[in-house]
Amino acid sequence: MTTSDVRVWPGHPHPLGATWDGRGVNFALFSAHAERVELCLFDARGRETRVELPEYTDEVWHGYLPEVGPGQVYGYRVHGPHAPDRGHWFNPHKLLLDPYARALTGRLDWSGPHFCFQLGHPRADLSFCTRDNAATMLKAVVVDPAAGGPDTGTPPRHPWHTSVLYEMHVRGFTMRHPDVHESYRGTFAGLSTRAVADHLRALGITAVELLPVHAFVHDRHLVVKGLSNYWGYNPISFFAPHPGYLASGSLDEVRTFVRGMHDAGIEVILDVVYNHTGEGSQMGPMLSFRGIDNASYYRLVPGNRRYYMDSSGCGNTLNFRHHRVIQLVMDSLRYWVQEMGVDGFRFDLAAAMGRDVGHFDRDASFLAAARQDPVLSRVKMIAEPWDVGEGGYQLGQFPPGWAEWNDRYRDTVRGFWRGDGGQVPDLATRLTGSSDIFGRRGRKPWASINFVTAHDGFTLADLVSYDRKHNDANGEDNRDGTDDNRSWNHGVEGPTTDHDITTLRRRQRVNLLATLLLSQGVPMLLAGDEFGHSQGGNNNPYCQDNRTTWLDWDRITPEERRLTRLVSWLIRLRRTHSVFHRDRFLRGKVVPGTEIIDSKWVNADGRERQVSDWENGDTRFVGLLLRGAAGCYYVTATGEPRPDDSFLICMNAGDEPLTCQLPALDDGGAWLPLLDTADGPVLAGAPASEDGDAYPMAGRSLVLFRRLPVGADGPEAVVGPAARGRRQSGVAGDSS
């Protein structure tokens, strides 16, 4: 077929992308500075036919091809000035991806000439490469939107304050899962396996937060080293899922996974990277945006537009001052909600998206657009509230309606359980929802996404096993990754058979998990932490697509299974008792209509903490009394709501044991121990303690008490101290 053999009509400038209408395909590509655009069609043998788009309307090049349909493979060649000093890098010798492509095919082979300049040239980025890259380039595929695919089910729509998030990787979660067929491992099809849903449902989480699933590229320098961009924070398409995550190559896999999660009562949140693309700096490849309209898509240095303003640390930053960039991102987000059924997004380096004029602005164009959008305003929006640009740390500064990753929570909780001094005052604020950060503009405790570990950093098992990072396998001489881990190896670096050390490490993991799940705000767990996944001390395994990061389901010990059940029990306890997930900040004041103070801080002697106690930097004990009847409810086994019980959380991060005197309340009830991390086994018939009784606490331990009203029977089984009752296998739920 030659160009003259292809019929092309004017078509329309909207919608952008390739749109099949049942008779033909409309192609529309935005470029404000191009001089000519060629649509490149590829047949099954890879032969290329070029068709010049005939119309240019409102800075959009467009044409309609009546003889083209779904499954057509295509790309673009864009003609224009090659003037790097003015921000233009046009090079028609390079095949480019459609920014609106719904599906991709092939793979990016770095042996091809994907740079618009000549590698090795004395002034490389100012040179011009005439070699064609089509044979080794990813390509777009026309899809049929009317085909629909599997229904994504009814979204669970869990309220923010009842949510428990679970961060996981599409590939790493199933690559070693014995109940997932080998051909499905590492894909959405693998995640759709019943065993996966069963584990997540049993755990009790309400939402999975997937690391990036948008199509991304493996950096050339990593491929040369035999590594890959495993995490996926290097996007090249904002609509198409990563081809490697589709066992069948069909978009239906994504919808099937979402449907399976929704049927299990679990929401799907995507980690999205709209702050930069995989094209990198001016020394990076030309794959899409750079060759289509570099000066529009990217933020360039004023007065020297050859270079990029880089607040992402990845070589470039998308230009959110441009309305077409905002349109691209908004269209992408709505597509994933409306067509793929997802329930929310976590925005990587979200501060970069609020930089209209260089500095962060909470009322920036994109943030304002998202807030008022009728689709996006109804889904969960989570910001990673920082980037690497000037003034990039913006925790607490995002608009109402947004939640934010709270690294202050992470650092304080880690420091407290490591035994650092002076942590208690800040810990108190973190446990109660971080009102000092989020308590403005009508925001709620759920604005704080609390986490102790995440994909970026140590796993929980490594946090208690290593004093320093061990990233040698990344090929950067252990220079990558943070040195501020606030971790503690408890006496030996890495694995050990020392019984005392392994026992203390297990206890510390429970301390950290229990703290997370009993705090106000929204807890986020890292996949694998519930059963001791270790990355061998690597705190930046972004390039490790191997056993370092893949969860090893076959090596979960009975001890680790008990930890998993304990996490499940804690999540059920949290879900059942709203005292642990209030929709308003704790103030230590009387709640209107109840005549009851919502919370109180106590010392180990049972008395209320005074100013002098808060100023004591040597204390390692903190006690938090939560009054359930102060506006909270409890759901009974029959589904009946009633005023919630009170709970007492006692934490001793010191090495030495102490005696905790239980505070007195005026309700005539008693204190029932539910969890003592120093002992851990499940008990039946643990005795309750009276007001003023002394309860012995081990060093490095957390104890949770539940207030039993007069005449009430406790749960049939609780998690508590071994010395106070009969052992029972498994972890019991709250059966009262």
Side-chain angles (χ1 to χ4, degrees):
M1 181 184 292
T2 64
T3 301
S4 60
D5 294 329
V6 179
R7 286 193 297 163
V8 56
W9 301 342
H12 304 282
H14 302 291
L16 294 171
T19 307
W20 162 251
D21 64 4
R23 296 183 297 257
V25 178
N26 189 83
F27 292 88
L29 180 74
F30 158 73
S31 179
H33 298 97
E35 297 171 348
R36 186 161 63 95
V37 173
E38 291 179 300
L39 171 67
C40 306
L41 306 176
F42 294 87
D43 65 15
R45 298 177 60 183
R47 293 177 299 191
E48 178 182 354
T49 297
R50 302 184 188 183
V51 181
E52 186 169 333
L53 293 183
E55 294 293 328
Y56 184 54
T57 306
D58 296 335
E59 299 182 332
V60 175
W61 300 84
H62 55 95
Y64 181 90
L65 278 64
E67 296 171 353
V68 169
Q72 175 65 59
V73 177
Y74 73 100
Y76 288 107
R77 297 180 186 273
V78 182
H79 300 254
H82 181 262
D85 289 339
R86 291 191 285 129
H88 301 312
W89 299 83
F90 294 101
N91 187 333
H93 301 285
K94 309 303 173 185
L95 185 74
L96 305 172
L97 282 175
D98 180 359
Y100 277 76
R102 271 27 177 200
L104 304 183
T105 187
R107 67 184 184 90
L108 182 67
D109 184 344
W110 285 111
S111 66
H114 299 296
F115 295 81
C116 62
F117 52 83
Q118 301 173 35
L119 293 175
H121 190 280
R123 301 184 67 192
D125 60 318
L126 295 180
S127 63
F128 189 79
C129 178
T130 59
R131 297 174 60 201
D132 192 277
N133 74 328
T136 56
M137 178 61 185
L138 281 164
K139 298 173 181 66
V141 181
V142 175
V143 301
D144 180 3
D151 177 19
T152 57
T154 302
R157 299 195 186 282
H158 295 291
W160 256 126
H161 68 96
T162 66
S163 296
V164 179
L165 310 186
Y166 185 83
E167 189 189 35
M168 62 190 291
H169 191 284
V170 170
R171 183 166 169 82
F173 197 80
T174 62
M175 281 300 293
R176 305 179 72 183
H177 201 302
D179 296 324
V180 175
H181 191 276
E182 289 185 6
S183 62
Y184 292 160
R185 292 178 182 175
T187 68
F188 279 104
L191 286 184
S192 299
T193 303
R194 180 176 178 178
V196 172
D198 286 347
H199 176 79
L200 298 175
R201 185 169 46 237
L203 201 57
I205 56 98
T206 68
V208 291
E209 183 177 303
L210 302 181
L211 266 67
V213 303
H214 289 166
F216 58 86
V217 295
H218 298 291
D219 311 62
R220 183 172 179 267
H221 74 276
L222 291 176
V223 174
V224 169
K225 295 178 182 179
L227 301 172
S228 67
N229 197 306
Y230 171 70
W231 282 349
Y233 290 95
N234 208 25
I236 199 59
S237 175
F238 298 129
F239 291 83
H242 188 61
Y245 293 165
L246 302 176
S248 66
S250 171
L251 301 182
D252 288 351
E253 277 189 43
V254 182
R255 296 188 180 98
T256 298
F257 163 71
V258 174
R259 173 61 185 260
M261 290 296 99
H262 286 174
D263 287 348
I266 298 170
E267 295 177 312
V268 176
I269 296 173
L270 301 185
D271 192 335
V272 288
V273 187
Y274 294 113
N275 57 81
H276 75 282
T277 78
E279 292 184 308
S281 70
Q282 79 277 4
M283 300 302 296
M286 177 179 281
L287 306 173
S288 181
F289 308 93
R290 173 172 288 136
I292 293 170
D293 194 346
N294 183 73
S296 294
Y297 277 113
Y298 294 116
R299 292 179 59 211
L300 306 179
V301 176
N304 195 353
R305 294 170 66 80
R306 171 183 170 190
Y307 299 101
Y308 295 87
M309 296 184 70
D310 180 15
S311 58
S312 68
C314 300
N316 65 60
T317 307
L318 281 177
N319 179 20
F320 278 88
R321 292 187 64 183
H322 200 291
H323 71 284
R324 289 294 187 183
V325 173
I326 295 176
Q327 178 188 3
L328 170 72
V329 174
M330 296 291 287
D331 287 347
S332 168
L333 292 168
R334 283 189 292 261
Y335 170 77
W336 283 95
V337 174
Q338 295 177 307
E339 300 296 328
M340 309 303 279
V342 306
D343 306 283
F345 305 93
R346 179 267 189 188
F347 293 82
D348 178 65
L349 300 181
M353 304 173 69
R355 292 179 180 270
D356 273 3
V357 291
H359 63 272
F360 177 82
D361 181 359
R362 71 177 67 180
D363 297 316
S365 300
F366 167 73
L367 298 179
R371 186 178 180 187
Q372 62 78 44
D373 187 85
V375 174
L376 302 182
S377 60
R378 297 198 301 267
V379 301
K380 291 180 167 65
M381 304 284 272
I382 305 170
E384 182 184 39
W386 50 79
D387 64 15
V388 301
E390 183 177 357
Y393 188 72
Q394 295 294 331
L395 179 66
Q397 300 306 309
F398 278 74
W402 284 72
E404 303 177 36
W405 270 28
N406 188 351
D407 63 324
R408 286 276 300 278
Y409 181 95
R410 174 199 64 196
D411 293 347
T412 300
V413 171
R414 287 185 178 190
F416 173 76
W417 284 113
R418 188 172 65 172
D420 297 353
Q423 298 296 304
V424 170
D426 198 49
L427 177 71
T429 309
R430 303 305 141 237
L431 294 178
T432 53
S434 297
S435 61
D436 59 331
I437 299 172
F438 301 106
R440 298 182 294 275
R441 304 180 73 185
R443 301 183 77 182
K444 302 290 187 177
W446 57 256
S448 178
I449 303 296
N450 300 329
F451 64 103
V452 174
T453 56
H455 70 275
D456 190 359
F458 281 145
T459 67
L460 186 63
D462 290 350
L463 185 68
V464 300
S465 302
Y466 295 91
D467 277 355
R468 58 187 184 276
K469 65 188 181 185
H470 295 265
N471 299 355
D472 301 275
N474 296 353
E476 300 179 42
D477 297 323
N478 208 36
R479 294 189 302 269
D480 63 305
T482 183
D483 292 310
D484 183 17
N485 297 291
R486 307 195 185 196
S487 59
W488 179 30
N489 65 18
H490 296 82
V492 173
E493 188 75 355
T496 180
T497 57
D498 186 295
H499 179 266
D500 291 340
I501 292 177
T502 57
T503 298
L504 184 53
R505 286 177 177 177
R506 281 196 298 269
R507 185 191 308 171
Q508 288 282 63
R509 282 194 284 151
V510 178
N511 289 336
L512 290 160
L513 288 167
T515 302
L516 175 66
L517 292 168
L518 296 176
S519 295
Q520 304 296 313
V522 177
M524 184 185 76
L525 297 165
L526 173 64
D529 277 356
E530 72 271 27
F531 52 74
H533 173 63
S534 170
Q535 294 171 164
N538 192 326
N539 75 350
N540 188 38
Y542 75 101
C543 55
Q544 300 296 325
D545 185 7
N546 50 47
R547 290 173 178 263
T548 299
T549 53
W550 300 344
L551 303 188
D552 189 354
W553 299 87
D554 279 332
R555 297 188 63 183
I556 301 176
T557 66
E559 185 69 34
E560 297 299 343
R561 293 189 187 281
R562 284 192 288 272
L563 176 63
T564 302
R565 292 194 292 270
L566 176 56
V567 171
S568 176
W569 178 84
L570 281 165
I571 292 175
R572 290 200 304 274
L573 182 76
R574 177 187 181 89
R575 181 177 65 242
T576 305
H577 295 279
S578 63
V579 71
F580 296 118
H581 56 83
R582 289 176 176 267
D583 199 25
R584 64 181 65 185
F585 288 104
L586 293 168
R587 300 295 185 185
K589 299 179 180 179
V590 173
V591 175
T594 68
E595 299 183 355
I596 298 176
I597 295 175
D598 59 14
S599 59
K600 182 184 295 185
W601 296 99
V602 297
N603 291 323
D605 59 8
R607 66 180 179 86
E608 187 173 359
R609 291 182 72 91
Q610 305 298 314
V611 173
S612 59
D613 299 314
W614 292 112
E615 294 174 345
N616 180 5
D618 294 329
T619 184
R620 302 294 190 276
F621 175 89
V622 63
L624 173 59
L625 172 61
L626 299 171
R627 298 302 304 272
C632 293
Y633 64 88
Y634 162 64
V635 180
T636 66
T638 60
E640 299 291 329
R642 65 171 176 79
D644 208 346
D645 298 317
S646 295
F647 289 82
L648 176 65
I649 307 170
C650 296
M651 304 181 185
N652 176 21
D655 288 319
E656 300 302 320
L658 55 79
T659 299
C660 175
Q661 187 169 340
L662 299 175
L665 300 183
D666 57 6
D667 60 2
W671 292 107
L672 180 72
L674 296 185
L675 170 67
D676 186 334
T677 64
D679 297 295
V682 177
L683 304 176
S689 298
E690 303 298 325
D691 291 352
D693 282 358
Y695 187 96
M697 285 189 69
R700 311 282 180 181
S701 70
L702 178 151
V703 182
L704 173 66
F705 297 90
R706 178 179 178 182
R707 186 69 171 181
L708 290 182
V710 176
D713 293 326
E716 294 178 0
V718 295
V719 180
R724 294 178 175 81
R726 176 173 53 84
R727 293 178 182 268
Q728 177 178 314
S729 62
V731 171
D734 192 337
S735 58
S736 61

